[in-house]
């Protein structure tokens, strides 16, 4: 049986060889953390390489994702479907081993990491999901959801502000099954971190409410094993294990230096590493006994088989719960979802209430929430403004089967935690803040889109219409920039009905996130025919027409500006003009429709077009053409009552009429 050091050296060898072959990468972290990884994966990790999606597996997140060869080596060695050819193709186009771990490429990669700090945030989300799912489904004698979440992180993650946000919340929530291992090697890209990072990290985490184990020699397997054993014994606090390591351990001339952080070691140094660590084997050659020492397939198969036996007993005792859990883990919606959701939309349409779309969103939560036990969410300390609480909300901190999280003022952390929960499975997540503060959360929104994860963002106070709080809180460019994110659907509904359709669309959109841009101010209900009601889901539709196939002009509007467009169309009609009004709550979804439908709504022979939206104008030229007119806001707002602001910035019937007449001239 190979020694622990020999097993760990397989990680070092694969990592340095793959990075050298690619002529790019980060050998320092994989070589420095190899001994820790060997202990965790061989002695503690519950996983099955033959089924990377086994529901009750332990989750492992490499937050310092630049050290990706550590993870790829672990997956290859333990028996996942990641052959040596993929290790050799590290960082090459279309390989399963991209430069940073990417969800959906290699089996066993739980999340995309690289932007530092977001991995620990995802891990916090996974730990919350594990506790919440267990709370909803576990029953006495049937602990079917019961596992740990492990995360590796380095100095860079610790320095990033998001780590403060999420680790503070994790301590408050007492996430006892979250175990983080801190690679305290004192080196970052610019050199020794003592010049810019002198935090007392153990004290910091103790102040958060974490269980902290410090001064562990990360190259002493016995010390690492003892620390993880201690961490697992503490169930009412998350644990941080602070491991002192040497970056690039095994490299005689580069270990302990920033030169091995983000560049290949070089052929000469690699030859010296082989000699230093006693690894005589050629590049990419792993002896059979080393593979056997790492192989986790048999152990993993038994772990999963034992769990399935437990689940069979659970299924007999609680058949309805078991069926619901299976459905949720498969990402399927309830069988009656379509029928009941459509009935709810029709009910909202029949009521015809004038309501702020943020309030309409809360009405939707109360309508859809009882249909969706998988719905879980919260707000960044704005529940009373975002209106994210609904009648069935239960705080996860006070109810074992809770479905609501008080995130506190942590927008970035909140969104990244939601990504971890979405990746975990079994939930549909929604998070909320003011639309302007989507900026704080932006990279997590981008990561959700990159990973094609369903996450719903409730972004209220969507324009200058929030009024007196002024330009610091008034979004101007945010709608446009959110629409630029690939894989994200953005909805800006004009009334309660469009809000209900937008929410339904978000619940059904499984391959990316959705942003719901919602008003503070009340918006008038727009009457619709049955056909118009059905067309809302297409993202853009004819809301008001002139009764002719070829209108004189088309006004396109979203959100609070739709009723302005309707009023302007009426004013133009009184002058004998044939005007069509197109409500376009989602440009993304409209662009996904077939050419025939898009031509029907926006016929190419009608060139007189005006777009109206209280935001930056550039994105609307694709719909109005370079000769069209756009009434928007290419500057920051002002503080004042909403009605006065809209008038001041030109959002008036008179100004829209003037723009249409100019476009027709």
């Amino acid at each position: 049986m190979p020694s622990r050091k020999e097993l760990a050296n397989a990680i070092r060898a694969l990592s340095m060889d793959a990075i050298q072959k690619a002529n790019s990468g980060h050998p320092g972290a994989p070589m420095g953390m190899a001994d820790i990884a060997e202990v965790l994966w061989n002695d503690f990790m519950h996983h099955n390489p033959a089924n990377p999606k086994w529901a009750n597996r332990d989750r492992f997140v490499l937050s310092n994702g630049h050290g990706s060869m550590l993870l790829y080596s672990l997956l290859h060695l333990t028996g996942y479907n990641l052959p040596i050819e993929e290790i050799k193709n590290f960082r090459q186009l279309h390989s399963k081993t991209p430069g940073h771990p990417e969800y959906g490429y290699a089996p066993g990669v739980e999340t995309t990491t690289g932007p530092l700090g977001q991995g620990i945030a995802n891990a916090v989300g996974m730990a919350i999901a594990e506790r919440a799912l267990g709370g909803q489904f576990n029953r006495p004698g049937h602990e079917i959801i019961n596992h740990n979440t492990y995360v590796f992180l380095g100095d860079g993650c610790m320095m990033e502000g998001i780590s403060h946000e999420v680790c503070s919340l994790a301590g408050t929530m007492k996430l006892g099954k979250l175990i983080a291992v801190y690679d305290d090697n004192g080196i970052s890209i610019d050199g020794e971190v003592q010049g810019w990072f002198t935090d007392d990290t153990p004290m910091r985490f103790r102040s958060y409410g974490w269980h902290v184990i410090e001064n562990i020699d990360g190259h002493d397997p016995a010390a690492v094993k003892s620390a993880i054993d201690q961490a697992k014994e503490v169930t009412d606090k998350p644990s941080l294990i602070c491991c002192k390591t040497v970056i690039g351990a095994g490299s005689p001339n580069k270990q302990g230096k920033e030169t091995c952080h983000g560049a290949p070691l070089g052929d000469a140094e690699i030859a010296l590493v082989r000699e230093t660590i006693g690894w005589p084997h050629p590049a990419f050659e792993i002896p059979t006994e080393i593979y056997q020492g790492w192989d986790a397939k048999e152990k993993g198969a038994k772990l999963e088989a034992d769990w399935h036996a437990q689940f069979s007993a659970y299924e007999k005792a609680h058949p309805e719960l078991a069926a619901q859990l299976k459905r949720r883990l498969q990402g399927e919606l309830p069988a009656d979802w379509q029928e009941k959701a459509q009935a709810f939309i029709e009910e909202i349409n029949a009521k015809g209430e004038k309501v702020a779309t943020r309030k309409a969103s809360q009405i939707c939560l109360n309508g859809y929430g009882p249909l969706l036990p998988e719905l879980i969410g919260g707000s960044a300390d704005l529940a009373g403004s975002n209106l994210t609480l609904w009648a069935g909300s239960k705080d996860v901190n006070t109810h074992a089967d809770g479905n609501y999280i008080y995130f506190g003022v942590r927008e970035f952390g909140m969104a990244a935690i939601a990504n971890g929960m979405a990746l975990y499975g079994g939930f549909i997540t929604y998070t909320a803040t003011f639309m302007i503060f989507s900026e704080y959360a932006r990279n997590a929104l981008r990561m959700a889109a990159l990973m094609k994860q369903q996450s719903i963002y409730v972004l209220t106070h969507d324009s200058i219409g929030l009024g007196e709080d002024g330009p610091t809180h008034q979004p101007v460019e945010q709608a446009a920039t959110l629409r630029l994110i690939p894989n994200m659907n953005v909805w800006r509904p004009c009334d309660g009905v469009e809000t209900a359709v937008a929410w339904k669309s978000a619940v059904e959109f499984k391959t990316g996130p959705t942003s719901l841009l919602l008003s503070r101010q009340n918006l008038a209900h727009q009457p619709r025919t049955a056909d118009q009601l059905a067309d809302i889901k297409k993202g853009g539709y004819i809301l008001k027409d002139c009764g002719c196939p070829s209108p004189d002009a088309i006004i396109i509007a979203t959100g609070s500006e739709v009723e302005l467009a309707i009023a302007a169309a009426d004013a133009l009609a009184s002058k004998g003009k044939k005007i069509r009004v197109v409500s376009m709550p989602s440009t993304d979804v409209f662009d996904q429709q077939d050419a025939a439908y898009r031509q029907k709504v926006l016929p190419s022979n009608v060139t007189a077009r005006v777009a109206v939206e209280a935001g930056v104008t550039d994105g609307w030229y694709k719909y109005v053409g370079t000769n069209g007119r756009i009434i928007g806001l290419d500057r920051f707002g002002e503080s004042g009552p909403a009605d006065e602001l809209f008038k001041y910035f030109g959002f008036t019937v008179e100004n829209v009429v003037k723009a249409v007449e100019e476009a027709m001239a």
Side-chain angles (χ1 to χ4, degrees), residues 120-121 124 128 161-175 178 204-210 238 397 406-410 413 417:
I120 177 64
V124 170
I128 294 172
I162 190 174
S163 72
H164 296 257
E165 293 184 22
V166 302
C167 293
S168 168
L169 184 62
T172 299
M173 296 184 71
K174 303 182 185 303
L175 299 175
L178 173 64
R204 167 188 158 192
F205 273 75
R206 287 192 179 99
S207 76
Y208 292 155
W210 285 55
N397 260 2
Y406 289 91
F407 285 102
V409 187
R410 300 181 176 97
I417 285 170

Side-chain angles (χ1 to χ4, degrees), residues 130-186:
E130 188 274 344
R131 193 173 80 178
L133 198 67
Q136 292 177 10
F137 286 97
N138 289 346
R139 293 296 182 269
H142 299 280
E143 297 288 317
I144 53 166
I145 302 297
N146 181 15
H147 65 81
N148 288 96
T149 299
Y150 298 100
V151 56
F152 283 2
L153 69 163
D155 291 307
C157 293
M158 289 295 192
M159 284 185 265
E160 286 286 359
I162 190 174
S163 72
H164 296 257
E165 293 184 22
V166 302
C167 293
S168 168
L169 184 62
T172 299
M173 296 184 71
K174 303 182 185 303
L175 299 175
K177 293 180 185 175
L178 173 64
I179 298 175
V181 179
Y182 169 33
D183 180 29
D184 183 10
N185 61 37

